[in-house]
Amino acid sequence: MTAVAPGSTIVWLTLAAMGLPFAAFLAIFFVTRPRLLPSLVISLACSAFSLAVAWWLLIHLRGIDAPLMFQALWMHGGQASIGFGFLLDPLSLVMLAIVTSISFLVQVYSLGYMAGDPGMAKYYSFLSLFAWSMIGLVVASNLMQLYIFWELVGLSSYLLIGFWHQKFSASQAGKKAFVMTRLGDLGFFLGIIVLLLNLGDLSILGLNSQAAAKLSPALLTASAVLVFCGVVGKSAQFPLLTWLPDAMEGPTPVSALLHSATMVAAGVYLVSRLYPMYAASADALAIMLAIGTVTMLLASTMAMVARDIKQVWAYSTVSQLGFMLMGLGAGSYFAGVFHLTTHAAFKALLFLCSGVFIHHFGTNDFFDMSRQGARHLRIPMVCITIAGAALAGVFPLAGFFSKEAVMGSLAELDQGIWLWAGLLGALLTAYYTFRLLFVMWRPLQPLQDKQSNPGHDDHQHSGHSSFGYGVMSAALIVLAGFTIALGFLGDKLIAFLHWQRPPQIPHHTWLLVTAILVVLVGIALAWWEFGRRGAAQEGFLRRFPALETLFARRWYLDDLYRRLTDYVVYGVFSRLCTLNDRRVVDGAIDGVCRGTVGAGWLLSFLQSGLLQYNLFAMVLVIALVGIYFLLL
Amino acid sequence: MSFPILSAIMLSPGLGLLAVLFLPRENKRAVRWISLLSAGLSLALTLYAYAVFDTTAKGLQFVERVLWVKSLGIYYFLAVDGISLPLVLLTSIVFFTGVWTMWDLEKRVKEFFALMLLMVLGVYGVFMALDLFFLFVFYDVSLFPMYPLIAIWGSTRKEYGALKLTLYLLAGSALVLPGILYVYFQSGLFSFDLMEIAAAGLPPSVQSLGFLLFLFGFGVLAGLWPFHTWSPVGHVAAPTAVSMIHAGVLMKLGAYGVLRVGMFLCPQGLVEWSPLMATLATVGIVYGALVGLAQTDLKYVIGYSSVSHMGLVSLGLATGTLGGVDGAVFQMFAHGIMTALFFSSVGHIYDRTHTKLIPELGGMAKVMPRASFFFILAALAGIGVPCLASFWAELLVFINGFQVYPALGTAAVLGLVVSALFMLRVVQRTFYGEKNQKYAAAPDMSAVMVIPRALLAGAILLFGLLPRLMLDTIQSGVAPLVELFK
Amino acid sequence: MSPAIAQYIRPEVVAYAAFGFTLVLVFGGALLAVLPKNIIHNVFGLATSLVGVAGLFIFLGSEFLAMMEILIYIGAICIAIVFAIMLSQPMHLQIPKRYRPKLIFSFVVATSLFISFHGIVTRTEWEPALVRGGDWEVARLGRLLLTRYELLFELVSLVLLVAIMGSIITAAALGGDKNPTGDEET
Amino acid sequence: MDSLHTYLFVALLLFCIGLFGLLQRRSLIGMLISVELMLNAASINFLAFNRFLGPDPAVGQIMVLFIMGIAAAEAAIALSLILALYRRLRSIDIEKARELRG
Amino acid sequence: MIARDFMLFLPELTYLVAALILFFMCLPQKADHKAIYAVALALAGLGVAGALLGMGQEGHLFFDAYQVDLFSQVFKLILAVAVLLVVGICHGLAGVEDRYHADFFLFLFTCGLGMMLMVSAVELMTLYVALELSSFSLYILVPLRRGDNLDVEAGVKYLFIGITASCVMLFGMSYIFGVSHTTYLAGIMDRLPLIIQQPAAMIGLMLTLSGFFFKLAVFPFHFWAPDVYQGAANQVAAFIATASKAAAVALLIRLTALTGGTSLYFIDVLMVLCVASMTLGNLVAIVQKGIKRMLAYSSVAHAGYVLMGILTMSELGYSAAVFYSMAYMLMNFAAFGVVVMVATSGQNLAISDLAGLHKRSPLLALTLMIALFSLAGIPPTVGFTGKFLVFAGAMQQGYFWLVLVGMINATISLYYYLMVIKAAYLSESPAELPPLVVSMPLRLLNYLLIAAMVYFGVCPGGFLDLAQAAVRGMMGGD
């Protein structure tokens, strides 16, 4: 598909939408940081502008039949020349709209949430930085640009997760997120290099149209898998999934923004972006499917035992990302993207609602919240229920339709096991979501004193203003609207994504019924254990302590990594290298020096003060010279 | 001949030196001002030269060539091309900021600035001279002031560090000088003019030995593994501005020497020895990062990160490809600025808290946000965050390294993760977390002292966002060079 | 003197005998100069050896030099040494013991030098000059000393002057006012 | 008696005897005596070459003459220094003079 | 004719007259030190003037026993400057017995005269006698020291090593006479190609060289150097370390040039001596405590470097050696000058005694630092350029390993020079010592030395051309 050069209006508007958040970051960080109000204004204005442009583009270009591409030379060195520009096609337009919307909403919401925090201006500057990198990632016209913004997203996430850096766990979590995604990016980067060296062109359109033809199948699979490594890192897939739950140390809006709707979705977005290339390699798709499935199941089990509300949503995010990848891996481009879209809406909503609770009650434990009377906060309570239901896949909410699309694609596969895994995942999702909802709605015993909250979120809860609450609620309501509405836009989306020529999507009525049944079973189980009057609010897993521990310890993945870093990286490699440096390398040098001085000391005894021994030496040398001349 | 701008750049620290020498030692203020002025003058001239440099023309520009010693064929031959000009710019920036950073120095001010001016004079000379004799002279001139500079004004184990550094580096130049003479006589031209020798070409066997001599001779200063151990020790011992110039500029002299003398004169030697060079470079990259993980002294960490980053430079050079050498040169620049920023931040912290041990610090981001910001920015540049200057350099090096040596390239990319791990670990332990109450009242940088750091940070950002500002220049110099390796 | 003996006293036999006697003087004297511990014996040995050398000079055709040898060496140097001994080594001082390794080592070194140089001397093909003059007159020596070797002549006198001045300063005056360590012990 | 080699041998032997004395005598005067022997060896050499090979009989003789002069000067300075040392150390044993070393 | 000969012999005559004048100044019982100093300084200045006037003169004197050419005149200039410099720092002469100041200067001048005669002499016996003249003067200068008992010991050791070396040399000369039938260098040079394969010729030449090895303190003829430097007065040590080295270099060049570089075995021996000297000198210098002893060992090492230039037997190598001896004279003198000026009462200095020098006299500390860096061969000083040239000479002949060893040695030497710099610049003196007062002329002298060391380091062209012309004349002239 050949690209079309966009008109100058679109170029300037898009570039402005891309650049303004960065300008906002610079302006706030370096100039207006000490003063809150201008900072907020700048940040929100830029964000709003990007939002407007994104939606205008989406609407304006809704009927395009060829991608619009603009590119300028950013850097060149050797055979690598890297462009900077944008590629507007249905996928990027949709994603742009999602990113700018969520980003804007989170900024609005944060007005309430972060009110009173001393670092609020800095926080907004980081949000702007994040928005910039995410927009750049979404519209990137080539893979290298995408990678660059991908890394910047990682950076902003590092900054935002560790925003309350005086808290050890927060800075630790930020570091962990950065390093683990970096590990994945390693593969991504190598993949890019392989592609660059073999194709000489990294433009996304070029990759999609030529990679399959120009690369040998093995090379194609290799590069696809390498690039997928980046996805594994950023979208927190197995085995690099453990950073995401820890990343909830950041402020809750950040969690909503980064770790549900946008940043982690970038991985899925990348796969969608290069979907034609992936589609050409069956092996790559199979790997994707397998990893997605494993991740989804693992994360679901983890979510079943979590008590921290954000942790639950974090696990569910991981699980849903796995689900999206399953859809993509099963061969359905649309399913993955659709689930990505709906998930963005309801997951953001879930986090933002949770944020209200956390903000209000100063705790992350939803049992605790419930006891403190969470259900009296009506708007968040309703919204969280809607979002939860959407997550669980309750008809007719957004999640239901997108999940259905994924299930449908799974059902098309030869092996049934993927579908069964998907259904199991749906069951578990319904169970843990409603476990949380039932607990929230039905407190076991109300608690009065607030002493028992062991200092989560130790920032000052001074901003219990009605303004803050109002702002937050507004954001929630908008998102709830999306959650309800998006599901019905599936047909529009499929047409748009496929350039108005949607493929025929097979419908399986039995699957529909089964899926609904599965969800109902999950909900019922959750009701039995948590929702019904007099329920002990203890999961059935309590009876299998081994399993419960396994899930709670995240399948010991974290321990594995910690041991790996502690014992292998630090304990063996680093230690050995350090010892080598001190003892062997440096030791050799010092040894040479000491040897030299020692030799000097020894030789100084030649000068014994005894004249005749010196004369010996003289005569001896003369004699030796004589012998040498004699022997010639 | 037009205005000899290169001589002017080089001699402005020389003038400063003379002026400082004749000032009474009590007049510290005048000494500082003169140093800063001469630094500023050279910076301004360099910026001008950079601006008027024609990136489309290949070859040397601003040539000044005078026969110096007829009987030996020594020329006073100054010129820059796309390779040396960025490094001259680097020197000017780091020098200027370094002088500014040391404004508060009170101990033996006159001698300090005199030595620093002398050292910088040498550095300029190395980057500009295209005559082997003068190149070597300037090379050593830039090295030996390190000894007093570290030994007098340094800190931790300063005498040991100074001695080790000086001896080690001059041992390196003990290989360079035979190499220069070897090449001089083997070429049969009786001229020390680098361009003439290169144009005439050397026999392959000569190139092989010559390249090895230059590689290890200059490589010591470039921190080539396993000849790197002087660098952390020296950096730890040195005072702030000296660390800045040393890690920021002087280590580049080594890499520049390998490039300008070794690779330029002995291209066949590079072709022959590049696997060795690439292997050592890669080991250095990973090894430096791994050792950096275990350090508890801030300056040690930076020292080892320098080893790692200079490994990247060597790897880029070893590829012998356009992109790789581009990347290597850019990395020299980027690393120079970055390390200077590192050391100037650490210097401030050390001045105020009198410790640079990571376990003793903590929460510094709250105590001194400005210093912390600069350190963190440098750390981010160090781990290759995009849109900061060193990213592009690393990118190019990795691409070309991977292309030429896939296994080594992969290992080098792995080093990137380790370096992220250790940089972030340092940032977390030092700047985040609970603050140590002992240093809670330590003052942050004053606004005046922010300026030099901001200059460095600005350079990192500027060239990170607009890499072509530098890469176009570099490429104009590298492109003719890599033709030799074909 | 009986004819039986007289028939052996042919000129060449006499010459050989005389040459042998000279060699005995030279080496006997040299060994006497080097080996005994008593310094007076050494001087005596030196004098003997020098007389032998003077004899060799006669064999080599230069009676003048033989005379100068006796005059300068025995007449001046040996006497000076005797004076020095009298000034410096009163008999009450103990003669130091020899140190055996040193003895052996010097013997080895001297012998190896001898062997190697002997080899060199025998290996070398000594060629006489193409044109050889035969003027052994002392008068020619005098002429040459004042013409070709004028500079040398002046120089040697300068050297002697310096040596004498130096000796005066060093021996006569030096150390007289200093506090010798030996005195502190006694 | 009439061969160059005899004289060269004699001279060399004398030189080596002198050398042996120089190396092993502890008494400075003994060493000086040995040096005189060595100088004489050189003289014999000069005169022998003069006798058997040289172009002009006068040259070798003049050499020997100058050697004698130098030897005299040398002896004078040496003896005076030995006496000076004796004043300081009350000994002319060279092994006693070993303040300077290292 | 007479006038021309007079001009040819001008520098030597100046010295002769100077010696005569000083001889008369020795005679009065009570002498005015200042007057003696002034006279000596003036005479030394005249000597330099004479040497300068003698530059460019060419000719033969004394029936060809004495040759005046550019080569000899360059060295005479170096010697005259060295004498002037040494006399320059003899102000006060605290290290020498009061009675003997005039004698001191007398012997200084006779020694200088001997050396000047030596560099022009082209006849073996003249050479020998001139060498003895300078040696005897030095044997007397060494024990002239005031104070401790080391001087006589040093003098005796110097003397005995010296006369051993001269005996050996004489013995060698006799062999040369035997094979070449002449004592004139020109005659020897004509005949040498025929006889160079004769072992006696080679050993004769080798033994003859050893006399100059002794002067230059090449291993194994160096043993006197540390003792004499330590035992002699500082000024005397400075003189021995500068002037006599230059003369020895001149003669070594002249004598090795005789072979025309035809005997490789000869070069082998020189190479071994060169490496041994460098290595031993540098290694032992590391462990020295006294600064003069350290400088003595460093002079052994420098003898090795000079030898490297000489053993190339090429024009470049020889001119490098000439340059090096000039350089060595300058930088070593600068170092000794500082020692003399710091040791105000003429005492021996330990390296640690320099502590706090940068406070007591920044100028002296600076001079010392530059001198030591120059000795270590760090650019842009003259020492570096000298080393560079010497190494270039060796490399031209393909002695790659020799150059490498030389550079490694230079690095080792840096270690102990840095130790001294450390003492002067870093260490604080234990007791608060008063600042050193350096008089204006001496300050000027220091500035001049610094300037000269840097000037000849950066712009070696002029002197190098001179040295090359001299060497070319010397090699091709005969």
Side-chain angles (χ1 to χ4, degrees), chain B residues 26-316:
Chain B
E26 291 76 27
N27 198 346
K28 297 176 179 174
R29 218 179 132 72
V31 170
R32 291 184 192 119
W33 271 111
I34 284 178
S35 308
L36 191 67
L37 280 180
S38 67
L41 179 63
S42 64
L43 178 63
L45 286 168
T46 311
L47 285 175
Y48 172 74
Y50 198 84
V52 299
F53 184 82
D54 182 2
T55 57
T56 55
K58 296 216 153 104
L60 304 170
Q61 297 185 28
F62 311 117
V63 178
E64 297 166 29
R65 192 164 184 271
V66 179
L67 185 56
W68 195 258
V69 179
K70 188 154 173 282
S71 52
L72 292 175
I74 298 174
Y75 295 87
Y76 175 79
F77 182 10
L78 299 186
V80 288
D81 63 359
I83 297 172
S84 38
L85 189 57
L87 297 172
V88 173
L89 179 66
L90 167 72
T91 313
S92 301
I93 295 175
V94 174
F95 174 39
F96 183 73
T97 52
V99 170
W100 198 323
T101 309
M102 292 309 273
W103 198 258
D104 295 333
L105 184 77
E106 287 296 334
K107 179 184 173 192
R108 293 167 79 175
V109 177
K110 174 178 161 177
E111 285 151 294
F112 181 85
F113 283 107
L115 285 166
M116 216 159 110
L117 289 160
L118 180 63
M119 176 164 74
V120 170
L121 175 80
V123 174
Y124 278 132
V126 175
F127 287 138
M128 294 171 183
L130 284 170
D131 175 276
L132 285 171
F133 175 81
F134 272 102
L135 195 135
F136 186 81
V137 167
F138 286 126
Y139 184 76
D140 270 10
V141 167
S142 62
L143 292 187
F144 80 83
M146 290 308 289
Y147 180 76
L149 278 174
I150 295 178
I152 298 176
W153 292 275
S155 49
T156 324
R157 292 210 297 168
K158 58 186 181 181
E159 285 172 19
Y160 172 76
L163 194 62
K164 183 165 191 165
L165 180 141
T166 318
L167 284 180
Y168 217 137
L169 297 186
L170 287 162
S173 72
L175 290 178
V176 172
L177 185 61
I180 288 177
L181 290 172
Y182 182 62
V183 165
Y184 170 74
F185 284 111
Q186 294 294 332
S187 76
L189 292 173
F190 293 94
S191 159
F192 281 101
D193 185 332
L194 197 74
M195 307 313 278
E196 267 184 45
I197 299 176
L202 293 164
S205 62
V206 175
Q207 296 201 8
S208 173
L209 178 59
F211 183 77
L212 269 192
L213 287 171
F214 294 130
L215 173 63
F216 289 114
F218 286 118
V220 169
L221 182 52
L224 185 69
W225 189 87
F227 306 107
H228 63 277
T229 48
W230 58 269
S231 124
V233 181
H235 292 164
V236 169
T240 305
V242 176
S243 297
M244 285 168 71
I245 293 191
H246 190 258
V249 182
L250 250 63
M251 285 181 90
K252 313 302 171 292
L253 291 185
Y256 177 78
V258 173
L259 173 63
R260 175 66 82 195
V261 182
M263 292 168 62
F264 191 51
L265 291 184
C266 310
Q268 293 306 312
L270 173 76
V271 174
E272 187 181 340
W273 292 108
S274 67
L276 173 72
M277 185 176 171
T279 311
L280 292 181
T282 311
V283 172
I285 295 170
V286 180
Y287 183 93
L290 281 173
V291 180
L293 269 178
Q295 302 306 315
T296 51
D297 185 307
L298 272 180
K299 280 191 160 188
Y300 264 116
V301 172
I302 308 168
Y304 279 106
S305 88
S306 288
V307 172
S308 184
H309 283 125
M310 289 308 289
L312 280 173
V313 174
S314 306
L315 182 62

Side-chain angles (χ1 to χ4, degrees), chain A residues 22 26 29-30 33 72-80 82 118 122 132 144 147-152 155 158-159 162-163 165-169 171-176 178-179 182-187 189-190 193-194 196-197 226 565 569-570 573-582 585-587 589-590 593, chain B residues 160 164 167-168 225-230 232-233 287 290-295 300 304 321-323 326 365-366 373 376 380 383-387 391-392 394-396 398-400 402-403 409-410 413-422 424-425 427-429 431-434 461 464-468 471-472 475:
Chain A
F22 184 59
L26 292 179
F29 193 86
F30 291 108
R33 187 144 57 112
L73 188 59
W74 194 2
M75 184 217 75
H76 67 104
Q79 73 274 59
I82 291 159
K122 194 168 81 178
W132 173 61
M144 190 56 86
Y147 173 76
I148 287 166
F149 284 101
W150 176 278
E151 287 291 308
L152 285 175
L155 170 69
Y158 168 74
L159 294 173
F163 183 72
H165 54 65
Q166 59 274 46
K167 201 163 66 173
F168 180 77
S169 54
S171 59
Q172 186 76 15
K175 188 180 87 174
K176 188 173 173 186
F178 196 92
V179 175
R182 216 4 144 49
L183 205 58
D185 294 348
L186 198 69
F189 187 57
L190 288 176
I193 294 178
V194 171
L196 175 72
L197 293 177
L226 280 174
T565 34
V569 178
Y570 281 99
F573 287 122
S574 178
R575 217 176 119 77
L576 277 184
C577 285
T578 311
L579 275 180
N580 179 53
D581 214 54
R582 293 271 186 285
V585 181
D586 233 12
I589 301 300
D590 287 354
C593 295
Chain B
Y160 172 76
K164 183 165 191 165
L167 284 180
Y168 217 137
W225 189 87
F227 306 107
H228 63 277
T229 48
W230 58 269
V233 181
Y287 183 93
L290 281 173
V291 180
L293 269 178
Q295 302 306 315
Y300 264 116
Y304 279 106
T321 56
L322 180 56
D326 273 357
K366 286 277 177 226
F373 164 73
I376 293 168
L380 293 177
I383 57 184
V385 166
C387 295
F391 169 78
W392 300 105
E394 291 178 13
L395 183 75
L396 284 169
F398 284 134
I399 291 173
N400 291 277
F402 187 81
Q403 181 185 14
T410 313
V413 180
L414 194 69
L416 211 56
V417 178
V418 184
S419 84
L421 191 62
F422 89 81
L424 293 184
R425 177 179 155 272
V427 168
Q428 184 202 356
R429 300 276 163 88
F431 298 100
Y432 296 160
E434 290 291 327
L461 261 178
L465 287 171
L466 304 170
R468 284 187 60 193
L471 273 168
D472 284 353
Q475 201 153 2

Side-chain angles (χ1 to χ4, degrees), chain A residues 15-339:
Chain A
L15 286 181
M18 286 167 77
L20 271 178
F22 184 59
F25 161 70
L26 292 179
I28 298 170
F29 193 86
F30 291 108
V31 184
T32 64
R33 187 144 57 112
R35 304 183 58 197
L36 186 56
L37 194 60
S39 308
L40 295 182
V41 170
I42 292 171
S43 178
L44 278 169
C46 292
S47 185
F49 178 80
S50 302
L51 174 73
V53 171
W55 281 99
W56 178 79
L57 283 172
L58 183 63
I59 293 162
H60 183 71
L61 299 174
R62 66 186 178 282
I64 53 166
D65 48 8
L68 299 175
M69 194 168 92
F70 165 84
Q71 192 159 321
L73 188 59
W74 194 2
M75 184 217 75
H76 67 104
Q79 73 274 59
S81 47
I82 291 159
F84 178 83
F86 57 82
L87 170 70
L88 295 178
D89 66 351
L91 182 64
S92 60
L93 286 172
V94 169
M95 194 66 188
L96 186 62
I98 296 173
V99 168
T100 49
S101 309
I102 306 260
S103 171
F104 179 74
L105 284 173
V106 165
Q107 290 206 6
V108 171
Y109 174 88
S110 297
L111 288 177
Y113 191 85
M114 296 300 285
D117 191 285
M120 192 168 174
K122 194 168 81 178
Y123 171 82
Y124 268 88
S125 75
F126 287 166
L127 282 184
S128 298
L129 179 68
F130 174 79
W132 173 61
S133 16
M134 199 64 207
I135 293 171
L137 188 154
V138 168
V139 298
S141 63
N142 63 60
L143 201 55
M144 190 56 86
Q145 186 189 353
L146 197 151
Y147 173 76
I148 287 166
F149 284 101
W150 176 278
E151 287 291 308
L152 285 175
V153 165
L155 170 69
S156 5
S157 112
Y158 168 74
L159 294 173
L160 283 167
I161 295 170
F163 183 72
W164 287 318
H165 54 65
Q166 59 274 46
K167 201 163 66 173
F168 180 77
S169 54
S171 59
Q172 186 76 15
K175 188 180 87 174
K176 188 173 173 186
F178 196 92
V179 175
M180 283 186 89
T181 53
R182 216 4 144 49
L183 205 58
D185 294 348
L186 198 69
F188 186 13
F189 187 57
L190 288 176
I192 293 177
I193 294 178
V194 171
L195 287 172
L196 175 72
L197 293 177
N198 288 290
L199 288 174
D201 174 25
L202 283 178
S203 84
I204 284 163
L205 293 172
L207 284 176
N208 283 339
S209 56
Q210 293 169 356
K214 283 192 179 169
L215 294 178
S216 69
L219 207 54
L220 179 68
T221 307
S223 48
V225 169
L226 280 174
V227 171
F228 185 67
C229 287
V231 178
V232 169
K234 190 123 304 186
S235 285
Q237 296 300 291
F238 178 79
L240 300 179
L241 54 82
T242 58
W243 66 266
L244 187 62
D246 286 1
M248 298 305 134
E249 288 290 341
T252 310
V254 170
S255 307
L257 178 64
L258 279 74
H259 306 119
S260 60
T262 54
M263 169 183 158
V264 290
V268 180
Y269 175 75
L270 173 62
V271 174
S272 321
R273 192 84 275 214
L274 296 175
Y275 200 71
M277 190 181 100
Y278 274 93
S281 169
D283 292 339
L285 285 185
I287 290 172
M288 198 190 299
L289 183 62
I291 286 184
T293 311
V294 170
T295 312
M296 182 201 73
L297 290 177
L298 285 187
S300 305
T301 56
M302 293 174 196
M304 283 160 63
V305 293
R307 285 175 68 95
D308 182 326
I309 187 165
K310 282 169 79 176
Q311 295 273 352
V312 174
W313 301 141
Y315 290 130
S316 92
T317 305
V318 176
S319 150
Q320 295 306 307
L321 291 166
F323 208 66
M324 294 172 209
L325 286 175
M326 283 173 79
L328 290 167
S332 173
Y333 172 53
F334 162 71
V337 177
F338 189 30
H339 197 52

